[in-house]
Amino acid sequence: MAAYDKADLERRMAGAVESLKGDLSGLRTGRASTSLLDPVTVEVYGANMPLNQLATVSAPEPRMLSVQVWDKSNVGPVDKAIRSAGLGLNPIVDGQNLRLPIPDLTEERRKELAKLASQYAEKARIAARNVRRDGMDGLKTDEKKGVYSEDERKRHETEVQKLTDATIADIDAAASAKEKEILGK
């Protein structure tokens, strides 16, 4: 069986872009959105679990999020996870409910969020490059096995590089759009 699979590489690179878009949707721009808490994971029951598996998240007001924790014993860990997520939110605990007022974005906070968006984009670029490396390694392995000639390998390597360049362009476009949205430009 050939080690090089173009469809798998395309799927994995598209996954890197989708993952970035999911991460970027969690960065807020001054209004309440339930997707703001998507990247939050809570350590409970001996494992890290997404917040949406432990509580109901809603946006009852434009500048307020509400988190209703299902199990009372998880209120503390959920509070701690939200505070330590780096989102700049400070929950107000009210029984099994947590209220998260969304503060106005200061210029300093906007710059921090733009920097965070850049970090997310760099992680996605690294993921795309890792997929490229896997594809190139697979091609070299296939060439050694006799599946591809040297010319075929080089042609496929060019295809992989074009796919990588297109994926990184998508990543850069998504990150740039989010940075403009955060900075209000």
Side-chain angles (χ1 to χ4, degrees):
M1 184 177 153
Y4 170 72
D5 182 0
K6 185 178 178 183
D8 182 53
L9 295 178
E10 290 172 343
R11 180 190 57 78
R12 290 172 57 198
M13 286 202 187
V17 173
E18 289 306 311
S19 176
L20 171 67
K21 288 180 179 177
D23 289 344
L24 292 178
S25 73
L27 294 178
R28 65 189 174 89
T29 57
R31 58 190 174 276
S33 168
T34 57
S35 65
L36 182 64
L37 298 176
D38 285 350
V40 176
T41 57
V42 184
E43 186 166 338
V44 290
Y45 310 123
N48 284 331
M49 298 179 69
L51 179 62
N52 63 6
Q53 292 183 7
L54 300 168
T56 303
V57 180
S58 62
E61 299 173 25
R63 307 206 34 88
M64 175 80 67
L65 285 174
S66 175
V67 179
Q68 184 176 4
V69 182
W70 301 324
D71 184 352
K72 189 172 182 113
S73 65
N74 292 335
V75 172
V78 168
D79 178 39
K80 181 180 175 188
I82 293 171
R83 289 180 192 275
S84 64
L87 298 172
L89 299 174
N90 293 313
I92 300 167
V93 180
D94 182 20
Q96 284 182 244
N97 293 321
L98 284 82
R99 289 176 294 151
L100 293 97
I102 308 295
D104 289 331
L105 288 177
T106 62
E107 188 63 28
E108 180 181 326
R109 184 65 182 146
R110 287 179 190 273
K111 287 179 181 176
E112 287 176 21
L113 289 172
K115 193 182 293 185
L116 191 58
S118 296
Q119 290 172 354
Y120 287 161
E122 186 57 31
K123 285 181 187 175
R125 285 186 208 99
I126 290 169
R129 290 185 198 116
N130 286 340
V131 173
R132 175 186 62 192
R133 184 196 62 225
D134 292 347
M136 298 293 193
D137 290 348
L139 284 168
K140 289 175 186 168
T141 302
D142 287 348
E143 181 186 11
K144 287 178 185 173
K145 290 180 182 176
V147 176
Y148 296 121
S149 67
E150 183 179 351
D151 290 341
E152 288 175 312
R153 176 186 56 86
K154 287 183 179 181
R155 186 170 37 80
H156 287 305
E157 282 179 349
T158 303
E159 290 174 3
V160 171
Q161 186 59 48
K162 285 181 182 176
L163 177 63
T164 304
D165 292 343
T167 301
I168 289 178
D170 290 347
I171 290 168
D172 290 343
S176 176
K178 188 63 175 186
E179 285 178 23
K180 285 180 183 175
E181 181 183 340
I182 289 170
L183 296 173
K185 293 182 181 177

